[in-house]
Amino acid sequence: MTTPAASVDLTNCDREPIHIPGAIQPIGFLVALTADWQVARVSANIGDFLDQSPEAMVGALIQDLFTPKAVHDLRNRVAMLGGRDAVERLFSCVLVDGGPAFDVAVHVSAGEVVIEAEPASGEHGDASGAVRSMMSRLDQAADFPAFYREGARQVRALLGYDRVMVYRFAEDGSGEVVAEAARSGIGRFMGLRYPATDIPAQARELYRRNLLRLITDVNAVPVPIIPARNQDGRPLDLSLSTLRSVSPIHIEYLKNMGVGASLSISIIVDGKLWGLFACHHYAARRPTFERRSVSELFAQMFSMRLESRERKETVEYERRARDISDQLLGAVASDETLLKDPDWLADILTHAIPADGVGVWLGGNHAFSGETPPLEDFRRIVRALNGTAAGRVFATDHIGALVPEARAFASGAAGLLAIPISRSPRDYVILFRRELVHSVRWGGDPHKPVSFGPNGPRLTPRESFAEWKELVEGRSQPFTASEIRVAETLRATLIEVVLRLADEASAERQQSSARQELLIAELNHRVRNILGLIRGLIRQSEPTSASIADFVKVVDGRIHALARAHNQITDDHWGPAPLQALIDAEAAAFVDERGRITLQGEPVLLNPNAYSTMALVLHELVTNSNKYGSLSAQDGRVVIGWSRNAAGDLIMEWREIGGPPVTPPTRQGFGTTIISRSVPYDLGGSADVAYEPGGVHAVFRIPARHLSEPRSTDGAKTIKYPRPAIGHPQLVPDAVLANHDILLVEDSLIIALDAEDIAHRLGAASVTTAATVEGALEFIDAARPTVAMLDINLGDRHSYPIADRLAEVGVPFIFATGYGEQANPPIEHRGRPIVQKPYTLENVARAFDSLIGETT
């Protein structure tokens, strides 16, 4: 009779005892000691490292085998262990007289002291400095995607794996690759998801307890532990081991991916396994003990920064939501009809809680905005909500669980968040989210039927990691705990409003009416003033010729000067505006060539009245200079400077240079009157205008009361101008590397990362970094770049062979060095552009702009 095969499903791996494999990886050896420091077990390969047989060591006292100093250091490390999952490390420890040095990890497992050792790497770098530098770059990340991406880049730079991914777990246990740093030519896993079964439950528990898991070679033969069981018949628990051998199932899994070695570092947030740094290499790889220790420390710091960022984001989100709640309270209290305005409600509520539609059920009436279910389905939803917990916010990502036949409208409304705003009969504001029918890029079919493989009747890992797509239907993006808390706050606000609407709404409407009358009166006043000013301009602008066209041109220019000034003022809600922007705008209207007008002065703001007055004054000065003065001559120019005197008044000077000889006007027209009398009359200042033979020279004093300090958020006086001023530095070309594949040759990791960032900001399509001459030459032959930037000094070598190869294949390039223009390249490369380090966006952009411009 044949015994039926055991049932096999996707949970089989969960029952595999991966923490007691009875073997280690062969890169080191293991010694387990009893409480009195007697050798209880050793790995079978002990003779490869210590010239001792397992039989000779088991039962011996450790002090008879190791040096007194080694025993002393090991005992001290054991004494320092704190907590059940603690591990202590020693570097370059000599265990036996005349023997080699080892890097050692020590922990306690079920009362036994477990010593694991690997040949010492000899690395003694500045670990704390390395981590500080890594964290400094991490802290500069502007958002979560950049934060994850920078974390992956730093780990890859430290450990050198072909691929490093940041792998985040979802609520259902599946995982998603949210960031990736990989060498070119090996494909991308970014965005792929893997089913929860790919990392069994007991493996997740080990990742939580033991933060770093190393697999150096999937083809390595495991080394057994001797004896396999102690006198109580128990195998050695290797949960905290650094050398623990690998499950055959997992080895097969990695081989199916083509992976030769891997390393995983846990990311723990709020005491839970948030995700992993998953490192893959396509050949055997063993990072040094020290670098693994540094990477583990970095991952812990990364986890703390991540936790802090997530909490800060949650706090900031809920703070903004409370502000929206306060706005809601004030608005609805003044006008109860807003509760029946779904478009208004949708606008304000979806700023707090993202949604695709809003439905309001108030006193048996309804109103919709955006994507919502049909009316009859909406009624059914309201009836179903009346059966939920009274007076509480209710949220679901699957309306089908609440209302039958919800699939019919799921494309527009698959999830909801209901906010009750009354007691009985129940009234609601309901936010809807559309169906999240998205293609989840699985790294294999999570529902693939189980088949028997080389490991017997158990789950065989998928042999194909081709992208598998699964449609998630009938569900929306879930509402988060923070969004539900915000909804509770909004509910309290809405109920408070509903209870006190009557009296407060009436009073607020009266106040609103009074404010409206005041605004109308202010508008009438300003319109009358503007009309009066324009009337005066027309009346005073007496034409000097019979040409109507000339008269219209003069009046039009003056009115346009006022309009430009008015635009600057109203851009900031009738507030102070920058003098430099006024000059810039006026000059742009009359001067075609840049450099004709030079500005000299610190940023200063003029109040609206002074701004309008100076707009007319500057208009007349520029117009006259353009007709008769320095701006009418080919080489003429104007210098405008300003500064503050001891009393705080603004002294502004206009000087014309290089124009035709100047003589005082024989008659004083309206333009001349504006220049000489506007500032004294309108602003209470002074104006001195001299018609010197070399050019007009005017000095204006604007009293301090017409000036405002530049606005600031950090104590520094800063003004943001609408565009660069004439005669001031211009913006760098911001997409100079668009559609270019750039090769960066730089032997310093941190400097290389800065250069990569600058290249991406300048629009580069791809960026490849090489630290050696050989690596750069290999890349040029494999995938030719379109431009390159070469650090001249690469340790004890130069990058000139790379330059020779680039010149040979016709790829334009620039040199970079800390010696700047003093660098002395070979004669064949003299005259190449050289960027002075440190790299900045400006100097790199200008160098490439010049280089690319010469080659096109």
Side-chain angles (χ1 to χ4, degrees), residues 13 81 131 163 219 254 340 413 438 540 658 741 745 834:
C13 286
L81 291 171
V131 172
R163 185 193 309 277
N219 296 310
L254 292 175
K340 302 176 183 178
H438 63 286
Q540 293 296 329
D741 301 309
V745 180
I834 297 178

Side-chain angles (χ1 to χ4, degrees), residues 798-812:
H798 291 103
S799 61
Y800 300 135
I802 309 172
D804 294 339
R805 180 62 177 147
L806 290 171
E808 180 183 334
V809 298
V811 174

Side-chain angles (χ1 to χ4, degrees), residues 396-410:
T396 179
D397 66 345
H398 184 42
I399 297 178
L402 184 70
V403 176
E405 300 177 358
R407 180 175 293 276
F409 56 84

Side-chain angles (χ1 to χ4, degrees), residues 130-141 154 298 305:
V131 172
R132 278 197 304 272
S133 175
M134 295 168 76
M135 295 308 300
S136 175
R137 293 194 60 81
L138 193 65
D139 289 340
Q140 295 175 31
Q154 295 290 340
F298 171 74
R305 291 290 204 280

Side-chain angles (χ1 to χ4, degrees), residues 419-430:
I419 306 174
I421 57 173
S422 64
R423 294 190 176 92
S424 183
R426 196 72 57 79
D427 294 328
Y428 296 96
V429 173
I430 305 175

Side-chain angles (χ1 to χ4, degrees), residues 40 62 80 166 243 275 357 374 380 383 388 418 452 476 497 544 549 571 625 647 667 725 735 755 849:
I62 196 65
M80 293 169 63
V166 176
L243 301 178
R380 286 203 297 272
R383 287 195 295 270
T388 64
F452 291 171
S476 72
V497 168
T544 57
D571 277 348
S625 181
R667 59 178 295 275
D849 192 40

Side-chain angles (χ1 to χ4, degrees), residues 76-384:
N76 282 343
R77 291 296 176 178
V78 171
M80 293 169 63
L81 291 171
R84 66 186 283 260
D85 296 335
V87 178
E88 285 292 327
R89 298 175 175 87
L90 294 89
F91 296 93
S92 298
C93 179
V94 177
L95 298 178
V96 297
D97 286 326
F102 294 92
D103 292 333
V104 179
V106 184
H107 70 274
V108 174
S109 174
E112 294 184 39
V113 176
V114 179
I115 300 169
E116 296 176 281
E118 310 172 30
S121 65
E123 286 189 349
H124 298 289
D126 180 10
S128 61
V131 172
R132 278 197 304 272
S133 175
M134 295 168 76
M135 295 308 300
S136 175
R137 293 194 60 81
L138 193 65
D139 289 340
Q140 295 175 31
D143 52 26
F144 279 107
F147 181 82
Y148 304 147
R149 185 169 58 251
E150 189 61 37
R153 289 175 62 192
Q154 295 290 340
V155 172
R156 181 168 184 261
L158 178 66
L159 299 178
Y161 280 85
D162 288 334
R163 185 193 309 277
V164 175
M165 299 167 284
V166 176
Y167 185 78
R168 179 175 61 189
F169 293 120
E171 288 294 327
D172 63 1
S174 64
E176 179 184 5
V177 179
V178 296
E180 181 179 36
R183 69 173 172 85
S184 59
I186 62 172
R188 296 290 175 182
F189 285 4
M190 179 67 184
L192 282 179
R193 292 187 65 171
Y194 295 89
T197 50
D198 277 22
I199 301 181
Q202 82 276 32
R204 293 172 192 255
E205 176 60 19
L206 287 184
Y207 280 130
R208 194 185 63 79
R209 295 182 59 198
N210 189 350
L211 300 185
L212 190 144
R213 174 59 166 147
L214 173 71
I215 301 173
T216 61
D217 186 355
V218 297
N219 296 310
V221 178
V223 177
I225 296 172
I226 301 174
R229 298 178 180 272
N230 63 9
Q231 63 272 21
D232 297 325
R234 291 199 303 267
L236 182 62
D237 187 335
L238 295 178
S239 295
L240 302 180
S241 168
T242 61
L243 301 178
R244 184 176 78 246
S245 67
V246 191
S247 155
I249 295 292
H250 190 54
I251 289 293
E252 187 179 344
Y253 185 96
L254 292 175
K255 286 182 177 180
N256 288 340
M257 297 179 71
V259 172
S262 73
L263 183 143
S264 300
I265 318 171
S266 303
I267 301 172
I268 307 294
V269 174
D270 278 336
K272 299 177 182 177
L273 184 63
W274 181 96
L276 302 169
F277 284 107
C279 310
H280 287 173
H281 205 69
Y282 294 94
R285 184 169 186 80
R286 182 175 74 91
T288 65
F289 198 83
E290 179 171 348
R291 286 184 178 248
R292 280 149 39 202
S293 299
V294 171
S295 68
E296 183 177 343
L297 177 58
F298 171 74
Q300 290 174 303
M301 299 294 290
F302 179 93
S303 299
M304 288 189 288
R305 291 290 204 280
L306 175 59
E307 183 174 335
S308 174
R309 282 180 176 239
E310 286 187 340
R311 288 183 177 177
K312 183 177 180 181
E313 183 182 67
T314 298
V315 169
E316 177 62 20
Y317 165 71
E318 294 188 5
R319 183 198 63 76
R320 291 196 309 268
R322 284 194 298 273
D323 291 344
I324 292 172
S325 177
D326 292 341
Q327 296 171 23
L328 179 67
L329 178 64
V332 179
S334 64
D335 184 0
E336 71 273 17
T337 61
L338 290 176
L339 273 180
K340 302 176 183 178
D341 183 345
D343 293 328
W344 179 86
L345 266 180
D347 182 61
I348 195 165
L349 291 179
T350 55
H351 272 77
I353 304 172
D356 301 301
V358 172
V360 180
W361 184 266
L362 191 61
N365 298 313
H366 71 279
F368 294 142
S369 177
E371 293 272 3
T372 61
L375 177 57
E376 284 307 312
D377 293 308
F378 185 65
R379 293 180 189 273
R380 286 203 297 272
I381 289 172
V382 170
R383 287 195 295 270

